[in-house]
Amino acid sequence: VNAVCCIQRMYRCRAARDEYAKRKQAYMEYLAARLDATITIQAHSRTWAALVIFRQLKAEKDEYDARMAEVTRWASSTIQALYRGHCGRIRAVAVRDEKRARWKEMFDEDSRRPFFYNQITGEIRWRRPQDLLELMPRPLCGNCEYFEASLECSVCQEFFCAECHQTVHFGGKRAKHPFRALYDAFGKRVDYGDGDFDLGSMWPSEIIQDDIAGILLRIAPHRDPAEKIGLWERYDDDEYQKSYYYNPVSGEGTYDKPQAVREHEQLTALQRAQQQSQEHGLEYDDYYQGHARPMTGVSFAGLSPTRPTTGIS
């Protein structure tokens, strides 16, 4: 019995040791697998965290690069603008000096008024040329003293902006004050000259200005008149088929036929008709049969062609 018990005890002890070894081995394998899993999870976690940090750093770097690019563009544009402004001011001064040197203001002793002479082309103008008008400072509104003036009132003798002019000249007697614009449709200032307001609120165009200012270049001694009619001289324009009439005594010039010229032509036609009737042996009354009968019994010898005949029945 003792032997059997001893053998059983030894067998059980051995089986227990084997089971213990197996369980210990399994436990060690479990710990190893757990360690591997922990390492894998930590690796994935660190990778994800690193990726998040990388993306944040990349976004910050991209934003920094964008800001630096914007600052660089702003700095380069500012430097270019300053440089171009500097060059533009130098150019503007040169152009201004060139325009000022082109025209010279002089004074006519005969007419007692200033005129402008172009030292390059030899042109003479009574009105201020556009080159000099562009150099004049833009006046401020005399009412608000803030906005640039765009209108000039003849009676008030002040410059107004559009809003102030509408407010001041809204009603009453001021609403009838003649005014004119200071600038044309292209924003260029045009000078009326002698302060006349006959054109109302419209500025004379460049063609009208050149027509008025170039009057001395159109008449004698620059051109010979086609015909002298009393005190008037007629100059023909072959290109536009128009005639220009100029009175050297009064200095008046017009494209419309003056009254004195029309009266002279009527007298000339009547004298021509009388001469033709005498040359062809025709009776004076027969020649004007069916026409408006002119004045008879009047001698036209010694009549002035530029002054109408008065006191004739």
Side-chain angles (χ1 to χ4, degrees), residues 15 42 57 70 84 113 170 221-222 225 228:
Q42 289 179 352
L57 294 177
E70 184 178 357
R84 291 172 180 173
R113 57 184 298 192
F170 177 76
H222 300 278
K228 290 186 177 181

Side-chain angles (χ1 to χ4, degrees), residues 267-283:
L267 294 176
T268 304
L270 182 58
Q271 292 176 353
R272 189 184 305 113
Q274 288 180 341
Q275 182 179 2
Q276 290 179 355
S277 65
Q278 293 176 0
E279 290 177 354
H280 293 83
L282 298 177
E283 293 292 336

Side-chain angles (χ1 to χ4, degrees), residues 35-36 47 124 259:
L35 179 62
D36 292 340
T47 302
I124 298 176
Q259 180 66 24

Side-chain angles (χ1 to χ4, degrees), residues 145-192:
E145 296 182 350
Y146 181 78
F147 294 103
E148 290 184 355
S150 59
L151 299 171
E152 180 183 5
C153 180
S154 173
V155 181
C156 300
Q157 296 183 356
E158 289 188 42
F159 297 126
F160 296 94
C161 61
E163 296 182 359
C164 291
H165 182 271
Q166 185 177 3
T167 302
V168 175
H169 299 80
F170 177 76
K173 295 182 179 180
R174 293 188 177 183
K176 300 180 181 180
H177 287 183
F179 66 95
R180 61 189 180 191
L182 294 178
Y183 307 99
D184 58 11
F186 301 97
K188 295 182 179 180
R189 183 171 179 178
V190 185
D191 187 11
Y192 263 109

